């Protein structure tokens, strides 16, 4: 028992050190980009045009789409959740992603939505992960013609994008594969009839693609506010790839640092490094504020009795 506890403690310490190192290096990279461009941050922000605040509207749009997507994924997993509760549950549990690792996010959502069955909630989370990765990779293909991106990276994006569309071909087989690991871990037999359909999956994927367009507009409004214009397609591709890297950096709270560092690099392929870094920092700051606001709104959508259920 003592050996196991010591091993767990060592793993946690290593994880924390790795988290700090990645965040510090990413922030240092962003700082260097701003410093090398000799941009006066405060002057630039004070001179920003009001259009920059339209980015907040777009970010709220993304957060409105997310519970709707979860609604269809829950339907495909076997539960019909009222829209009001979809918004309440998704918004109140989404904040848990700022805890390093995905365990808190998964466990929190499974607990709050437990009356629909923890298995169903976990399965819907896996579907959400699959669709998020698929849509992000597809959106990332918008960078395919950019110089500065290795050809191997381009081929990886193309290959993953094609493979990620397999659930549309056979949602039943995909759902069986999704359930298999839980069955092997002893989390139930999962023998109930699969219910994910092409319709549910396609609607969810389409809405997720719309969310990437909204993210693109959000960052374009930030750029316009700073007096810079850039192609919307490149902005969408730059952010989706950065978001994907942040997603897989599971040991970081909401991909903090990794997402900003990669986003800065991607934007610097067609913008100056200083502007790219500023956009990445402004984006994260506004994103956090919007998610806090949605969390507070989500609390009002669920009564104490519904939390107890």
């Amino acid at each position: 028992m003592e050996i196991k506890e010591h091993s767990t403690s060592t793993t946690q310490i290593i994880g924390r050190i790795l988290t700090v190192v990645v965040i510090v290096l990413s922030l240092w990279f962003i700082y260097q980009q701003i410093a090398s461009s000799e941009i006066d941050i405060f002057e630039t922000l004070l001179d920003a045009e009001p259009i920059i605040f339209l980015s907040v509207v777009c970010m709220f749009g993304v957060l409105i789409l997310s519970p709707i997507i979860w609604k269809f994924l829950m339907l495909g997993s076997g539960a019909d959740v009222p829209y009001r509760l979809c918004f309440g549950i998704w918004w109140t549990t989404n904040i848990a992603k700022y805890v390093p690792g995905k365990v808190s996010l998964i466990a929190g959502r499974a607990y709050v939505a437990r009356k629909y069955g923890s298995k169903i909630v976990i399965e819907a989370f896996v579907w959400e992960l699959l669709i998020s990765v698929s849509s992000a990779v597809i959106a990332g293909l918008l960078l395919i013609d950019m110089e500065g991106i290795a050809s191997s990276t381009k081929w990886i994006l193309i290959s993953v994008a094609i493979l990620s569309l397999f659930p549309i071909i056979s949602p039943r087989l995909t759902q069986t594969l999704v359930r298999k690991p839980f069955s092997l871990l002893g989390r139930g037999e999962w023998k109930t009839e699969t219910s994910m359909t092409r319709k549910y999956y396609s609607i969810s994927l389409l809405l997720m693609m719309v969310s990437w367009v909204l993210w693109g507009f959000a960052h374009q409004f930030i750029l316009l506010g700073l007096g810079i214009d850039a192609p919307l397609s490149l902005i969408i591709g730059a952010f989706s790839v950065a978001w994907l890297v942040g997603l897989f950096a599971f040991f970081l709270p909401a991909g903090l640092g990794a997402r900003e560092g990669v986003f800065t690099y991607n934007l610097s392929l067609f913008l100056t490094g200083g502007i790219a870094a500023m956009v990445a920092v402004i984006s994260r700051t506004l994103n956090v504020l919007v998610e806090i606001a949605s969390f507070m709104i989500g609390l009002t959508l669920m009564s104490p009795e519904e939390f107890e259920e």
Side-chain angles (χ1 to χ4, degrees):
M1 181 64 73
E2 291 182 0
I3 295 176
K4 184 177 181 180
E5 290 178 354
H6 177 72
S7 177
T8 302
S9 177
T10 301
T11 302
Q12 291 176 344
I13 292 173
I14 293 175
R16 289 169 183 169
I17 292 174
L18 186 59
T19 299
V20 172
V21 169
V22 172
I23 293 176
V24 170
L25 289 177
S26 298
L27 294 178
W28 177 253
F29 171 69
I30 292 171
Y31 169 76
Q32 287 295 316
Q33 292 295 312
I34 295 176
S36 63
S37 63
E38 299 182 351
I39 292 178
D40 189 320
I41 298 177
F42 295 104
E43 182 179 347
T44 303
L45 290 176
L46 289 174
D47 292 339
E49 297 295 329
I51 195 174
I52 197 172
F53 292 107
L54 286 179
S55 61
V56 175
V57 177
C58 294
M59 290 181 187
F60 262 118
V62 173
L63 286 177
I64 289 173
L65 283 178
S66 297
I68 298 175
I69 293 171
W70 189 64
K71 162 79 173 181
F72 285 102
L73 296 179
M74 285 292 283
L75 282 170
S77 300
D80 187 2
V81 185
Y83 276 106
R84 178 177 61 83
L85 289 183
C86 281
F87 280 88
I89 293 171
W90 202 94
W91 282 351
T92 54
T93 57
N94 181 53
I95 205 76
K97 69 181 182 182
Y98 288 99
V99 178
K102 305 299 180 186
V103 177
S104 297
L105 177 58
I106 300 171
R109 189 170 299 171
Y111 178 78
V112 176
R114 60 191 180 279
K115 74 175 183 179
Y116 297 103
S118 59
K119 291 181 182 179
I120 290 176
V121 178
I122 293 173
E123 184 177 320
F125 184 88
V126 176
W127 280 113
E128 187 175 353
L129 179 63
L130 289 174
I131 284 183
S132 297
V133 172
S134 176
S135 62
V137 172
I138 292 172
L141 293 178
L142 293 172
L143 289 178
I144 209 72
D145 291 329
M146 282 295 299
E147 295 182 5
I149 297 183
S151 58
S152 58
T153 301
K154 295 178 181 179
W155 279 112
I156 290 174
L157 284 174
I158 294 172
S159 301
V160 175
I162 295 173
L163 289 173
S164 71
L165 296 177
F166 177 77
I168 296 179
I169 299 173
S170 181
R172 182 178 294 273
L173 177 57
T174 304
Q175 191 159 31
T176 301
L177 294 174
V178 165
R179 291 176 170 182
K180 193 63 176 176
F182 298 106
S183 179
L184 294 175
L185 290 171
R187 302 299 182 182
E189 293 301 321
W190 299 77
K191 291 182 178 178
T192 55
E193 183 69 21
T194 56
S195 51
M196 181 59 73
T197 65
R198 289 189 183 88
K199 176 183 177 181
Y200 291 150
Y201 190 88
S202 298
I203 291 174
S204 300
L205 183 60
L206 178 61
L207 291 176
M208 192 69 80
M209 293 304 300
V210 173
S211 72
W212 291 120
V213 175
L214 287 174
W215 272 118
F217 277 117
H219 294 115
Q220 189 168 56
F221 285 134
I222 293 174
L223 281 169
L224 290 174
L226 299 177
I228 307 293
D229 194 11
L232 178 63
S233 59
L234 296 183
I235 298 173
I236 294 173
F239 180 74
S240 63
V241 172
W243 182 91
L244 195 58
V245 172
L247 175 68
F248 284 111
F250 60 90
F251 54 90
L252 296 174
L256 182 65
R259 187 175 94 181
E260 286 70 40
V262 176
F263 192 29
T264 298
Y265 173 78
N266 290 344
L267 288 176
S268 66
L269 295 175
F270 53 93
L271 296 171
T272 62
I275 291 296
M278 284 192 65
V279 171
V281 173
I282 293 172
S283 170
R284 173 66 81 170
T285 302
L286 294 178
N287 185 201
V288 171
L289 293 175
V290 168
E291 288 182 331
I292 291 174
S294 67
F295 170 76
M296 300 303 292
I297 296 172
L299 290 176
T300 66
L301 295 175
M302 300 181 66
S303 65
E305 291 77 14
E306 287 169 329
F307 270 114
E308 288 301 319
E309 290 178 1

